[in-house]
Amino acid sequence: MARLVNGERKIINPRPENAGKLLIFCEGVTELNYLDYFRKYIDNNAHEKYSDIVIKTINAEGNAMRVYNFAEEYLSSEENASKYLYYEKHLVFDCDAPDNIQEVIALMKESDNNYVLDYSNLLFETWLLMHFQILEPGKNVDKRSIMNTMSEYIGVEDYDSKIKASTGTIGKILGSNGNEKIRAAIDNAKKLEKYWNDEGFDMYYNIKDMNPSVKVYGLVERLLDEVVYLCK
């Protein structure tokens, strides 16, 4: 596992809140591998463990509705609902499918489970790509160009399902300067978010127009802060 904290830590800002108790439902194995990278890092390196991160994944076949249905069904169990009553519940999903993604987001928002919506538009690879380059607002990114560019950056001929599913792919993306790459991606995501806000766009009404954009950066930033402050 590559180090997310290298050398002496120079902490300027006050210590952030812990990530806390998180129950995360995610769409596929790529998202699982990425988020599990942080979970394992915290479990293996934190002297004092303040947070509990639980990740549930489903082979959603690129469909946000299945993520929502899976989470709703999982939490409809009295045992699960009780066990995770005080956990913050997250849905990590892409916006490329289904076609009525705006209606799906409305369902997510209206759920009694009070989900935090950590979307990537179009794909989770949009977020991964931001570890390498700046994505500009208003210039739509399509699936093919994202996948081709990912292939170039990680040095493979084809960024296919096998590469996506490999646990080593996330390590290759983060490399030896993972902290720096993630912080750059977070900064890019915040600039995109500000742009869409300034344009009067909102994920609950205009998600299809907000390409590229990601909301998953908020969850990632909290996990990375936990790593920086609590891990060697």
Side-chain angles (χ1 to χ4, degrees):
M1 176 177 286
R3 292 195 61 79
L4 293 178
V5 179
N6 294 313
E8 181 182 356
R9 291 176 294 168
K10 296 180 180 180
I11 299 173
I12 299 174
N13 297 322
R15 185 180 183 278
E17 293 183 9
N18 303 111
K21 296 179 179 292
L22 305 177
L23 175 61
I24 304 170
F25 298 94
C26 61
E27 184 168 313
V29 68
T30 310
E31 292 88 335
L32 170 64
N33 289 342
Y34 186 91
L35 296 172
D36 206 39
Y37 199 93
F38 291 92
R39 184 193 64 78
K40 289 178 179 178
Y41 201 102
I42 292 170
D43 284 349
N44 293 334
N45 294 282
H47 294 298
E48 299 177 77
K49 190 177 178 185
Y50 295 94
S51 300
D52 185 30
I53 302 161
V54 179
I55 305 173
K56 303 290 182 181
T57 188
I58 177 176
N59 182 9
E61 298 178 2
N63 193 312
M65 187 66 182
R66 292 194 180 99
V67 178
Y68 169 73
N69 287 337
F70 174 71
E72 289 288 284
E73 182 177 354
Y74 185 87
L75 293 170
S76 69
S77 160
E78 187 174 331
E79 179 181 355
N80 292 335
S82 176
K83 182 177 181 179
Y84 297 109
L85 179 63
Y86 298 108
Y87 281 63
E88 188 176 276
K89 300 165 183 68
H90 288 249
L91 300 180
V92 179
F93 60 95
D94 299 340
C95 294
D96 61 324
D99 289 337
N100 64 333
I101 183 64
Q102 200 69 70
E103 296 175 25
V104 176
I105 288 177
L107 289 174
M108 293 174 172
K109 180 184 179 183
E110 294 163 5
S111 171
D112 292 336
N113 288 311
N114 297 315
Y115 297 117
V116 178
L117 309 189
D118 300 310
Y119 75 84
S120 299
N121 194 6
L122 289 168
L123 310 167
F124 190 69
E125 278 73 18
T126 302
W127 167 247
L128 297 181
L129 190 58
M130 291 165 69
H131 290 58
F132 299 102
Q133 69 178 57
I134 294 174
L135 297 184
E136 297 182 21
K139 293 185 177 180
N140 286 7
V141 292
D142 61 82
K143 293 183 184 180
R144 177 171 293 184
S145 64
I146 290 174
M147 296 306 186
N148 289 342
T149 308
M150 283 297 299
S151 297
E152 294 175 9
Y153 276 125
I154 64 176
V156 296
E157 185 174 341
D158 184 18
Y159 184 80
D160 56 16
S161 58
K162 183 177 180 180
I163 297 296
K164 284 167 59 68
S166 172
T167 55
T169 297
I170 300 304
K172 185 177 290 188
I173 289 171
L174 297 179
S176 60
N177 60 337
N179 191 317
E180 180 181 337
K181 286 182 178 178
I182 298 166
R183 293 294 183 193
I186 291 170
D187 184 60
N188 188 194
K190 288 179 177 180
K191 289 177 180 177
L192 286 172
E193 185 174 64
K194 182 180 185 305
Y195 170 84
W196 294 119
N197 287 341
D198 290 347
E199 291 294 309
F201 287 3
D202 187 296
M203 67 174 290
Y204 297 113
Y205 302 98
N206 315 104
I207 194 63
K208 287 192 175 182
D209 297 319
M210 297 168 62
N211 178 18
S213 65
V214 299
K215 197 70 174 178
V216 71
Y217 81 83
L219 173 60
V220 174
E221 185 172 34
R222 288 169 62 183
L223 295 176
L224 185 57
D225 283 345
E226 184 100 341
V227 167
V228 170
Y229 280 83
L230 295 181
C231 300
K232 287 183 177 181

